Amino acid sequence: MDEAWYDDEAGPIVRPYTITRGRTPTRSTRLDTASQVLTVEPRPETPRLELTPEHRWILDACARPVSLAELAVLLGQPVGVVRVLCGDLLDHGAVFVRSPRTEVSRDILEQVYRGLCRL
């Protein structure tokens, strides 16, 4: 992050609600902390997004898949802020997000159980 936006005594000068423009994560965009975010090549027909420094930082950091939680740590912002920013990028087709499976099949649970029993 740019050192001009940090004060050793006060902490970050730009507060989280300023970065997200007061927005919170939407229910339509489900981003788990384990979701992997990857930058994609923009398409010409994709609407232009006004990129903030934080948006640009996320795009640069996601040249390889990075979890939402890892992005929050690297950016030094709460997960909710990173969730909003990644939602913006996802809505504009600038990133690809792969979320973990939310349901586990009985077969997988039985395989894990058998493996644990062998230990």
Side-chain angles (χ1 to χ4, degrees), residues 4-119:
W5 292 105
Y6 191 84
D7 181 344
D8 289 331
E9 292 179 27
I13 294 172
V14 179
R15 300 291 179 212
Y17 63 84
T18 305
I19 294 171
T20 63
R21 297 180 188 136
R23 296 172 296 136
T24 58
T26 62
R27 288 185 165 204
S28 63
T29 305
R30 174 124 169 84
L31 296 174
D32 189 271
T33 55
S35 296
Q36 298 289 306
V37 182
L38 178 66
T39 302
V40 296
E41 292 294 322
R43 296 183 187 150
E45 69 274 4
T46 305
R48 299 282 301 168
L49 171 66
E50 184 180 322
L51 295 177
T52 64
E54 292 79 16
H55 284 118
R56 284 190 206 96
W57 188 91
I58 290 171
L59 290 173
D60 291 342
C62 293
R64 64 167 181 83
V66 180
S67 74
L68 194 74
E70 186 178 356
L71 280 173
V73 169
L74 294 171
L75 189 56
Q77 293 295 330
V79 173
V81 170
V82 176
R83 196 174 273 138
V84 169
L85 297 174
C86 286
D88 293 343
L89 295 170
L90 181 63
D91 290 345
H92 286 82
V95 296
F96 171 77
V97 176
R98 173 178 266 162
S99 294
R101 286 178 102 170
T102 55
E103 57 187 58
V104 178
S105 71
R106 182 178 177 95
D107 184 47
I108 290 174
L109 290 175
E110 287 175 357
Q111 289 176 17
V112 170
Y113 176 75
R114 279 186 250 127
L116 289 172
C117 288
R118 282 182 266 180
L119 293 176

